[in-house]
Coordinates of all heavy atoms in Angstrom, one line a residue:
M1 N 25.4 96.8 113.1 CA 26.0 97.9 112.3 C 27.5 97.6 112.5 O 28.0 97.4 113.6 CB 25.6 99.2 112.7 CG 26.0 100.3 111.8 SD 25.4 101.9 112.2 CE 23.7 101.7 112.7
G2 N 28.3 97.8 111.4 CA 29.7 97.6 111.5 C 30.4 98.8 111.9 O 29.9 99.9 111.9
I3 N 31.8 98.7 112.0 CA 32.6 99.7 112.4 C 32.6 100.9 111.4 O 32.5 102.0 111.7 CB 34.1 99.2 112.7 CG1 34.1 98.3 114.0 CG2 35.1 100.3 112.8 CD1 35.4 97.7 114.2
I4 N 32.7 100.5 110.1 CA 32.8 101.5 109.1 C 31.5 102.4 109.1 O 31.6 103.5 109.1 CB 33.0 101.0 107.7 CG1 34.5 100.3 107.6 CG2 32.8 102.0 106.6 CD1 34.7 99.6 106.4
Q5 N 30.3 101.7 109.2 CA 29.1 102.5 109.2 C 29.0 103.4 110.5 O 28.6 104.5 110.4 CB 27.9 101.5 109.3 CG 26.6 102.2 109.0 CD 26.5 103.0 107.7 OE1 26.7 102.5 106.6 NE2 26.3 104.3 107.8
N6 N 29.5 102.8 111.5 CA 29.4 103.7 112.8 C 30.3 104.9 112.7 O 29.9 106.0 113.1 CB 29.9 102.9 114.0 CG 29.0 101.8 114.5 OD1 27.8 101.8 114.2 ND2 29.4 100.7 115.2
I7 N 31.5 104.7 112.1 CA 32.4 105.9 111.9 C 31.8 106.8 110.9 O 31.8 108.1 111.2 CB 33.8 105.3 111.5 CG1 34.5 104.6 112.7 CG2 34.6 106.5 110.9 CD1 35.7 103.9 112.2
E8 N 31.2 106.4 109.8 CA 30.6 107.2 108.9 C 29.6 108.0 109.5 O 29.5 109.3 109.3 CB 30.1 106.4 107.7 CG 29.6 107.4 106.7 CD 29.1 106.7 105.4 OE1 29.5 105.5 105.1 OE2 28.4 107.3 104.5
D9 N 28.6 107.4 110.2 CA 27.6 108.1 110.9 C 28.1 109.2 111.9 O 27.6 110.3 111.9 CB 26.7 107.1 111.7 CG 25.9 106.2 110.7 OD1 25.9 106.4 109.5 OD2 25.4 105.2 111.3
Q10 N 29.1 108.9 112.7 CA 29.6 109.8 113.7 C 30.3 111.0 113.0 O 30.0 112.1 113.4 CB 30.7 109.1 114.5 CG 31.3 109.9 115.6 CD 30.4 110.0 116.8 OE1 29.3 109.5 116.9 NE2 30.6 111.0 117.6
I11 N 31.1 110.7 111.9 CA 31.7 111.8 111.2 C 30.7 112.7 110.5 O 30.7 114.0 110.5 CB 32.7 111.3 110.2 CG1 34.0 110.7 110.9 CG2 33.2 112.3 109.2 CD1 35.0 110.0 110.1
R12 N 29.7 112.1 109.9 CA 28.7 112.9 109.2 C 27.9 113.7 110.2 O 27.7 115.0 109.9 CB 27.8 112.0 108.3 CG 28.4 111.4 107.1 CD 27.4 110.8 106.1 NE 28.1 110.2 105.0 CZ 28.6 110.9 104.0 NH1 28.6 112.1 104.0 NH2 29.2 110.1 103.1
S13 N 27.6 113.2 111.4 CA 26.9 114.0 112.4 C 27.7 115.1 112.9 O 27.2 116.3 113.1 CB 26.4 113.0 113.4 OG 25.9 113.7 114.5
E14 N 29.0 114.9 113.2 CA 29.8 115.8 113.9 C 30.5 116.9 112.9 O 30.7 118.1 113.4 CB 30.9 115.1 114.7 CG 30.4 114.3 115.8 CD 29.8 115.1 116.9 OE1 30.2 116.2 117.3 OE2 28.7 114.6 117.5
L15 N 30.9 116.4 111.7 CA 31.6 117.3 110.9 C 30.9 117.8 109.6 O 31.4 118.7 108.9 CB 33.0 116.6 110.6 CG 33.8 116.3 111.7 CD1 35.1 115.6 111.2 CD2 34.2 117.5 112.5
A16 N 29.8 117.2 109.3 CA 29.0 117.5 108.0 C 29.9 117.7 106.9 O 30.0 118.7 106.2 CB 28.2 118.8 108.2
P17 N 30.7 116.6 106.5 CA 31.7 116.8 105.4 C 31.1 116.9 104.1 O 29.9 116.5 103.8 CB 32.4 115.4 105.4 CG 31.4 114.4 106.0 CD 30.6 115.2 107.1
A18 N 31.8 117.7 103.2 CA 31.4 117.9 101.9 C 31.7 116.6 101.1 O 31.0 116.2 100.1 CB 32.1 119.1 101.2
A19 N 32.7 115.8 101.5 CA 33.0 114.6 100.9 C 33.7 113.7 102.0 O 34.4 114.1 102.8 CB 34.1 114.8 99.8
L20 N 33.3 112.4 101.9 CA 33.8 111.4 102.9 C 33.9 110.0 102.1 O 32.9 109.6 101.6 CB 32.9 111.3 104.0 CG 33.2 110.3 105.1 CD1 34.5 110.5 105.7 CD2 32.0 110.2 106.1
E21 N 35.0 109.4 102.3 CA 35.3 108.0 101.8 C 36.0 107.4 102.9 O 37.0 107.8 103.4 CB 36.1 108.2 100.5 CG 36.3 106.8 100.0 CD 37.0 106.8 98.6 OE1 37.7 107.9 98.2 OE2 37.1 105.8 97.9
I22 N 35.5 106.2 103.2 CA 36.1 105.3 104.2 C 36.4 104.0 103.5 O 35.6 103.3 103.1 CB 35.3 105.1 105.5 CG1 34.9 106.4 106.2 CG2 36.0 104.2 106.4 CD1 34.0 106.3 107.3
I23 N 37.8 103.8 103.5 CA 38.2 102.5 102.7 C 38.8 101.5 103.6 O 39.6 101.7 104.6 CB 39.3 102.9 101.6 CG1 38.8 104.1 100.8 CG2 39.9 101.8 100.9 CD1 39.9 105.0 100.2
N24 N 38.3 100.3 103.5 CA 38.7 99.1 104.3 C 40.0 98.6 103.7 O 40.0 98.1 102.6 CB 37.7 98.0 104.5 CG 38.1 96.9 105.4 OD1 39.1 96.9 105.8 ND2 37.1 96.1 105.7
E25 N 41.1 98.8 104.4 CA 42.5 98.3 103.9 C 42.9 97.1 104.6 O 44.1 96.8 104.7 CB 43.5 99.4 103.9 CG 43.1 100.6 102.9 CD 44.1 101.7 102.9 OE1 45.0 101.8 103.8 OE2 44.1 102.4 102.0
S26 N 42.1 96.5 105.4 CA 42.5 95.4 106.3 C 43.2 94.3 105.5 O 44.2 93.6 106.0 CB 41.3 94.9 107.0 OG 40.5 95.9 107.7
H27 N 42.7 94.0 104.4 CA 43.3 92.9 103.5 C 44.8 93.2 103.2 O 45.5 92.2 103.0 CB 42.5 92.6 102.2 CG 42.5 93.9 101.4 ND1 41.8 95.0 101.6 CD2 43.3 94.0 100.2 CE1 42.0 95.9 100.5 NE2 42.9 95.4 99.7
L28 N 45.1 94.4 103.2 CA 46.5 94.7 102.8 C 47.5 94.4 104.0 O 48.8 94.4 103.8 CB 46.7 96.3 102.6 CG 45.9 96.8 101.3 CD1 46.0 98.3 101.3 CD2 46.3 96.1 100.1
H29 N 47.0 94.1 105.2 CA 47.8 93.9 106.4 C 47.8 92.4 106.8 O 48.3 92.0 107.8 CB 47.3 94.7 107.6 CG 47.4 96.1 107.2 ND1 48.5 96.8 107.4 CD2 46.6 97.0 106.7 CE1 48.4 98.2 106.9 NE2 47.2 98.2 106.6
A30 N 47.1 91.5 105.9 CA 47.1 90.1 106.2 C 48.6 89.5 106.3 O 49.5 89.9 105.5 CB 46.4 89.3 105.1
G31 N 48.8 88.8 107.4 CA 50.1 88.1 107.6 C 51.1 89.0 108.3 O 52.2 88.6 108.7
H32 N 50.8 90.3 108.6 CA 51.7 91.1 109.3 C 51.8 90.6 110.8 O 52.8 90.8 111.5 CB 51.2 92.6 109.4 CG 51.4 93.2 108.1 ND1 51.1 94.6 107.9 CD2 51.8 92.8 106.9 CE1 51.3 94.9 106.6 NE2 51.7 93.8 106.0
Q33 N 50.7 90.0 111.3 CA 50.7 89.2 112.6 C 50.4 87.8 112.2 O 49.4 87.6 111.4 CB 49.9 89.9 113.6 CG 50.4 91.4 114.0 CD 49.4 92.0 114.9 OE1 48.2 91.5 115.1 NE2 49.9 93.0 115.6
E34 N 50.9 86.9 112.8 CA 50.6 85.5 112.6 C 49.1 85.2 112.7 O 48.6 84.5 111.9 CB 51.4 84.6 113.5 CG 51.4 83.2 113.2 CD 52.2 82.3 114.1 OE1 53.3 82.7 114.4 OE2 51.8 81.2 114.5
S35 N 48.4 85.8 113.6 CA 47.0 85.4 113.8 C 46.1 86.4 112.9 O 44.8 86.1 113.1 CB 46.7 85.6 115.4 OG 46.9 87.0 115.7
F36 N 46.5 87.3 112.2 CA 45.7 88.1 111.5 C 45.6 87.7 110.0 O 46.6 87.7 109.3 CB 46.1 89.6 111.6 CG 45.2 90.5 110.8 CD1 43.9 90.6 111.2 CD2 45.6 91.3 109.8 CE1 43.0 91.5 110.6 CE2 44.7 92.2 109.1 CZ 43.5 92.3 109.5
D37 N 44.4 87.4 109.5 CA 44.2 87.0 108.1 C 43.8 88.0 107.1 O 43.5 87.8 106.0 CB 43.3 85.7 108.0 CG 41.9 86.1 108.5 OD1 41.6 87.3 108.8 OD2 41.1 85.2 108.5
G38 N 43.5 89.3 107.6 CA 43.1 90.4 106.7 C 41.7 90.6 106.6 O 41.2 91.4 105.8
T39 N 40.9 89.8 107.4 CA 39.4 90.0 107.4 C 39.0 91.0 108.3 O 39.7 91.4 109.3 CB 38.8 88.7 107.5 OG1 39.0 88.2 108.9 CG2 39.1 87.7 106.5
G40 N 37.8 91.5 108.2 CA 37.2 92.4 109.3 C 37.5 93.9 108.8 O 37.7 94.1 107.7
E41 N 37.2 94.7 109.9 CA 37.3 96.1 109.6 C 38.3 96.6 110.7 O 38.0 97.2 111.7 CB 36.0 96.8 109.8 CG 35.0 96.4 108.9 CD 33.6 97.0 109.1 OE1 33.2 97.2 110.3 OE2 32.8 97.1 108.1
T42 N 39.6 96.3 110.4 CA 40.6 96.6 111.4 C 41.5 97.7 111.0 O 42.1 98.4 111.8 CB 41.5 95.4 111.7 OG1 42.1 95.0 110.4 CG2 40.7 94.3 112.2
H43 N 41.7 97.9 109.7 CA 42.6 99.0 109.1 C 41.9 99.8 108.1 O 41.4 99.3 107.0 CB 43.8 98.4 108.4 CG 44.7 97.6 109.3 ND1 44.3 96.3 109.9 CD2 45.9 97.9 109.9 CE1 45.3 95.9 110.7 NE2 46.3 96.8 110.7
L44 N 41.6 101.1 108.4 CA 40.8 101.9 107.6 C 41.6 103.2 107.1 O 42.4 103.6 107.8 CB 39.6 102.3 108.2 CG 38.7 101.3 108.9 CD1 37.5 102.0 109.7 CD2 38.2 100.3 107.8
R45 N 41.2 103.6 105.9 CA 41.7 104.9 105.4 C 40.5 105.9 105.3 O 39.4 105.5 104.7 CB 42.2 104.8 104.1 CG 42.8 106.1 103.5 CD 43.7 105.9 102.2 NE 44.7 105.1 102.5 CZ 46.0 105.5 103.1 NH1 46.2 106.9 103.3 NH2 47.0 104.6 103.2
I46 N 40.6 107.0 105.9 CA 39.5 108.0 106.0 C 39.9 109.2 105.2 O 40.9 109.8 105.4 CB 39.1 108.4 107.4 CG1 38.6 107.2 108.2 CG2 38.0 109.5 107.4 CD1 38.5 107.5 109.7
K47 N 39.2 109.5 104.1 CA 39.4 110.6 103.2 C 38.2 111.6 103.4 O 37.1 111.1 103.1 CB 39.5 110.3 101.7 CG 40.7 109.4 101.4 CD 40.7 109.0 99.9 CE 42.0 108.2 99.6 NZ 42.0 107.9 98.1
I48 N 38.5 112.7 103.8 CA 37.4 113.7 104.2 C 37.8 115.0 103.8 O 38.9 115.5 103.9 CB 37.1 113.5 105.7 CG1 36.0 114.5 106.1 CG2 38.4 113.7 106.5 CD1 35.5 114.3 107.6
V49 N 36.7 115.8 103.4 CA 36.8 117.2 103.1 C 35.7 117.9 103.9 O 34.5 117.5 103.7 CB 36.6 117.5 101.6 CG1 36.6 119.1 101.4 CG2 37.7 116.8 100.7
A50 N 36.0 118.8 104.8 CA 35.0 119.4 105.7 C 35.4 120.8 105.9 O 36.6 121.2 106.2 CB 34.9 118.7 106.9
E51 N 34.4 121.7 105.9 CA 34.5 123.1 106.3 C 35.2 123.2 107.7 O 35.9 124.1 108.0 CB 33.2 123.8 106.1 CG 33.3 125.3 106.4 CD 34.0 126.0 105.2 OE1 33.9 125.6 104.1 OE2 34.7 127.0 105.5
A52 N 34.8 122.3 108.6 CA 35.3 122.3 110.0 C 36.8 122.2 110.1 O 37.3 122.6 111.2 CB 34.7 121.0 110.7
F53 N 37.5 121.9 109.0 CA 38.9 121.8 109.1 C 39.6 123.1 108.7 O 40.8 123.2 108.8 CB 39.5 120.6 108.2 CG 39.1 119.4 108.6 CD1 38.7 118.3 107.8 CD2 39.0 119.0 109.9 CE1 38.3 117.1 108.1 CE2 38.7 117.7 110.5 CZ 38.4 116.7 109.5
E54 N 38.9 124.0 108.2 CA 39.4 125.3 107.7 C 40.1 126.0 108.9 O 39.6 126.1 110.0 CB 38.3 126.3 107.2 CG 38.7 127.3 106.4 CD 39.2 126.8 105.0 OE1 38.5 126.2 104.3 OE2 40.4 127.2 104.7
G55 N 41.3 126.3 108.6 CA 42.2 127.0 109.6 C 42.8 126.0 110.7 O 43.6 126.6 111.5
L56 N 42.6 124.7 110.6 CA 43.2 123.8 111.6 C 44.4 123.2 110.9 O 44.6 123.0 109.8 CB 42.2 122.7 111.8 CG 40.9 123.0 112.6 CD1 40.1 121.8 112.9 CD2 41.1 123.8 113.9
S57 N 45.4 123.0 111.8 CA 46.6 122.3 111.4 C 46.3 120.8 111.1 O 45.2 120.3 111.5 CB 47.6 122.3 112.5 OG 47.3 121.6 113.6
R58 N 47.2 120.2 110.4 CA 47.1 118.7 110.2 C 46.9 118.0 111.5 O 46.0 117.1 111.6 CB 48.4 118.2 109.5 CG 48.2 116.7 109.0 CD 49.4 116.4 108.2 NE 49.2 115.0 107.7 CZ 50.3 114.2 107.7 NH1 51.5 114.6 108.1 NH2 50.2 113.0 107.3
L59 N 47.7 118.2 112.5 CA 47.5 117.5 113.8 C 46.2 117.7 114.4 O 45.5 116.8 115.0 CB 48.7 118.1 114.8 CG 48.7 117.5 116.1 CD1 48.8 116.1 116.1 CD2 49.8 118.2 117.0
E60 N 45.6 119.0 114.4 CA 44.4 119.3 115.0 C 43.2 118.5 114.2 O 42.3 118.0 114.8 CB 44.1 120.8 114.9 CG 44.9 121.6 115.8 CD 44.8 123.1 115.6 OE1 44.7 123.6 114.5 OE2 44.7 123.8 116.6
R61 N 43.5 118.4 112.9 CA 42.4 117.6 112.1 C 42.4 116.2 112.5 O 41.4 115.6 112.7 CB 42.7 117.8 110.6 CG 42.5 119.2 110.1 CD 43.0 119.3 108.8 NE 43.0 120.8 108.4 CZ 43.2 121.2 107.1 NH1 43.4 120.3 106.1 NH2 43.2 122.5 106.8
H62 N 43.7 115.6 112.6 CA 43.8 114.2 113.0 C 43.3 114.0 114.4 O 42.6 113.0 114.6 CB 45.2 113.9 112.9 CG 45.7 113.5 111.5 ND1 46.4 112.5 111.1 CD2 45.5 114.2 110.4 CE1 46.6 112.4 109.8 NE2 46.0 113.6 109.3
R63 N 43.5 114.9 115.3 CA 42.9 114.8 116.7 C 41.4 114.8 116.6 O 40.7 114.0 117.4 CB 43.4 115.9 117.6 CG 44.9 115.7 118.0 CD 45.3 116.9 118.9 NE 46.7 116.6 119.4 CZ 47.6 117.4 119.8 NH1 47.2 118.8 119.8 NH2 48.7 117.1 120.2
R64 N 40.7 115.5 115.8 CA 39.3 115.6 115.7 C 38.8 114.2 115.2 O 37.9 113.8 115.9 CB 38.8 116.7 114.8 CG 39.2 118.1 115.3 CD 38.0 119.0 115.6 NE 36.7 118.8 115.5 CZ 35.8 119.6 114.8 NH1 36.3 120.7 114.2 NH2 34.6 119.4 114.9
I65 N 39.4 113.7 114.2 CA 39.0 112.4 113.7 C 39.2 111.3 114.8 O 38.4 110.4 115.0 CB 39.7 112.0 112.3 CG1 39.2 113.0 111.3 CG2 39.4 110.5 111.9 CD1 37.9 113.1 110.9
N66 N 40.5 111.3 115.3 CA 40.8 110.3 116.3 C 39.8 110.3 117.5 O 39.4 109.2 118.0 CB 42.2 110.5 116.8 CG 43.2 110.0 115.9 OD1 43.1 108.8 115.4 ND2 44.2 110.7 115.6
A67 N 39.4 111.5 118.0 CA 38.5 111.5 119.0 C 37.1 110.9 118.6 O 36.5 110.3 119.4 CB 38.2 113.1 119.4
L68 N 36.7 111.2 117.3 CA 35.5 110.6 116.9 C 35.5 109.0 116.8 O 34.4 108.3 116.9 CB 35.0 111.2 115.5 CG 34.6 112.7 115.5 CD1 34.4 113.2 114.1 CD2 33.4 112.9 116.5
V69 N 36.6 108.4 116.5 CA 36.7 107.0 116.3 C 37.2 106.2 117.5 O 37.3 105.0 117.5 CB 37.5 106.5 115.0 CG1 37.1 107.3 113.9 CG2 39.0 106.9 115.3
A70 N 37.5 107.0 118.6 CA 38.1 106.3 119.8 C 37.2 105.1 120.3 O 37.8 104.1 120.6 CB 38.2 107.3 120.9
G71 N 35.9 105.2 120.3 CA 35.1 104.1 120.7 C 35.3 102.9 119.9 O 35.2 101.8 120.3
E72 N 35.6 103.1 118.6 CA 35.6 101.9 117.6 C 37.0 101.2 117.9 O 37.0 100.1 117.6 CB 35.5 102.4 116.2 CG 34.1 103.0 115.9 CD 33.0 102.1 116.2 OE1 33.1 100.8 116.1 OE2 32.0 102.6 116.7
M73 N 38.0 101.9 118.4 CA 39.3 101.2 118.6 C 39.0 100.1 119.7 O 39.7 99.1 119.7 CB 40.2 102.3 119.2 CG 40.8 103.3 118.1 SD 41.7 102.4 116.9 CE 42.6 103.8 116.2
E74 N 38.1 100.3 120.6 CA 37.9 99.3 121.6 C 37.1 98.2 121.1 O 37.0 97.1 121.7 CB 37.1 100.0 122.8 CG 37.9 101.1 123.5 CD 37.0 101.9 124.4 OE1 35.8 101.5 124.8 OE2 37.5 102.9 124.9
K75 N 36.5 98.3 119.9 CA 35.7 97.3 119.3 C 36.5 96.5 118.2 O 35.9 95.7 117.5 CB 34.5 97.8 118.7 CG 33.5 98.6 119.6 CD 32.3 99.2 118.9 CE 31.5 99.9 119.9 NZ 30.4 100.7 119.1
G76 N 37.8 96.8 118.0 CA 38.5 96.0 117.1 C 39.2 96.8 116.0 O 40.0 96.2 115.2
L77 N 38.9 98.0 115.9 CA 39.6 98.9 114.9 C 41.0 99.0 115.4 O 41.3 99.3 116.5 CB 39.0 100.3 114.8 CG 39.7 101.3 113.8 CD1 39.7 100.8 112.4 CD2 38.9 102.6 114.0
H78 N 42.1 98.8 114.6 CA 43.4 98.7 114.9 C 44.2 99.9 114.4 O 45.0 100.4 115.2 CB 44.1 97.5 114.5 CG 45.6 97.5 114.6 ND1 46.0 97.1 115.9 CD2 46.6 97.6 113.9 CE1 47.4 97.1 115.9 NE2 47.7 97.3 114.7
A79 N 43.9 100.4 113.2 CA 44.6 101.6 112.7 C 43.8 102.3 111.6 O 42.9 101.8 111.0 CB 45.9 101.1 112.1
I80 N 44.0 103.7 111.7 CA 43.4 104.5 110.6 C 44.5 105.4 110.0 O 45.3 105.8 110.7 CB 42.3 105.4 111.2 CG1 42.7 106.3 112.3 CG2 41.1 104.5 111.6 CD1 41.7 107.2 112.8
A81 N 44.3 105.6 108.7 CA 45.1 106.6 108.0 C 44.1 107.6 107.6 O 43.0 107.4 107.2 CB 45.7 106.0 106.7
I82 N 44.6 108.9 107.9 CA 43.6 110.0 107.7 C 44.1 111.0 106.6 O 45.3 111.4 106.7 CB 43.5 110.8 109.0 CG1 42.9 109.9 110.1 CG2 42.6 112.1 108.7 CD1 43.0 110.5 111.5
E83 N 43.3 111.3 105.7 CA 43.6 112.4 104.6 C 42.4 113.4 104.8 O 41.3 113.2 104.4 CB 43.5 111.8 103.3 CG 44.6 110.7 103.1 CD 44.5 110.0 101.7 OE1 44.0 110.7 100.8 OE2 44.9 108.9 101.7
A84 N 42.7 114.5 105.6 CA 41.7 115.5 105.9 C 42.0 116.8 105.3 O 43.1 117.4 105.6 CB 41.6 115.5 107.4
K85 N 41.1 117.3 104.5 CA 41.3 118.7 104.0 C 40.1 119.6 104.2 O 39.0 119.2 104.4 CB 41.5 118.4 102.4 CG 42.7 117.7 102.1 CD 42.9 117.5 100.6 CE 44.1 116.8 100.3 NZ 44.3 116.7 98.8
A86 N 40.4 120.8 104.0 CA 39.4 121.8 104.0 C 39.0 122.1 102.6 O 39.8 121.9 101.7 CB 39.8 123.2 104.6
P87 N 37.8 122.5 102.3 CA 37.3 122.8 100.8 C 38.4 123.7 100.1 O 38.5 123.4 98.9 CB 36.0 123.4 100.9 CG 35.4 122.8 102.3 CD 36.6 122.7 103.2
S88 N 38.8 124.6 100.8 CA 39.8 125.7 100.1 C 41.1 125.0 99.7 O 41.8 125.6 98.9 CB 40.1 126.9 101.1 OG 40.8 126.3 102.2
E89 N 41.4 123.8 100.1 CA 42.6 123.1 99.7 C 42.4 122.2 98.5 O 43.5 121.6 98.1 CB 43.1 122.3 100.9 CG 43.5 123.2 102.1 CD 43.8 122.4 103.4 OE1 43.1 121.4 103.6 OE2 44.7 122.7 104.1
L90 N 41.3 122.0 98.0 CA 41.1 121.2 96.8 C 41.6 121.9 95.6 O 41.4 123.1 95.4 CB 39.7 120.9 96.7 CG 39.0 120.1 97.8 CD1 37.5 119.9 97.6 CD2 39.7 118.7 98.1
S91 N 42.2 121.2 94.8 CA 42.8 121.8 93.6 C 41.9 121.8 92.4 O 40.9 121.1 92.3 CB 44.2 121.1 93.2 OG 44.0 119.7 93.2

């Protein structure tokens, strides 16, 4: 199982999101380091809407997500961009 699937499973289990999208943006970072060609699952964007974020600050939301993906950082995940919203914030 890959990093993206592991993260998706963890987030769905812990936060029961109403919406979740995990986008692999690794290819956008090719060449940023001489040894990186943009392959793999190293740079991800996580877009999530979850009731669990209601009343939490942006920092608290990011901390919750970071805690869930900490194990994947040890397996090769380098960076995540997080877009976390509560259902009440949708337009």
Side-chain angles (χ1 to χ4, degrees):
M1 194 176 317
I3 290 174
I4 291 173
Q5 187 62 55
N6 288 343
I7 290 172
E8 182 175 347
D9 292 348
Q10 184 74 11
I11 289 174
R12 288 194 186 282
S13 173
E14 296 291 325
L15 300 175
L20 175 62
E21 182 179 11
I22 302 175
I23 304 160
N24 187 347
E25 295 183 339
S26 302
H27 65 284
L28 299 174
H29 300 273
H32 289 187
Q33 295 177 343
E34 188 174 319
S35 62
F36 184 62
D37 65 0
T39 60
E41 299 174 329
T42 59
H43 296 74
L44 306 178
R45 178 169 303 275
I46 299 172
K47 295 181 178 185
I48 180 172
V49 177
E51 186 69 36
F53 295 140
E54 200 67 58
L56 296 182
S57 70
R58 182 175 182 222
L59 179 60
E60 291 169 318
R61 295 169 187 193
H62 282 227
R63 284 180 175 158
R64 296 244 357 231
I65 297 294
N66 280 313
L68 292 175
V69 304
E72 299 304 323
M73 290 291 199
E74 297 171 8
K75 298 177 186 174
L77 180 60
H78 177 73
I80 57 173
I82 301 170
E83 299 174 28
K85 296 182 179 182
S88 65
E89 297 171 318
L90 299 177
S91 47

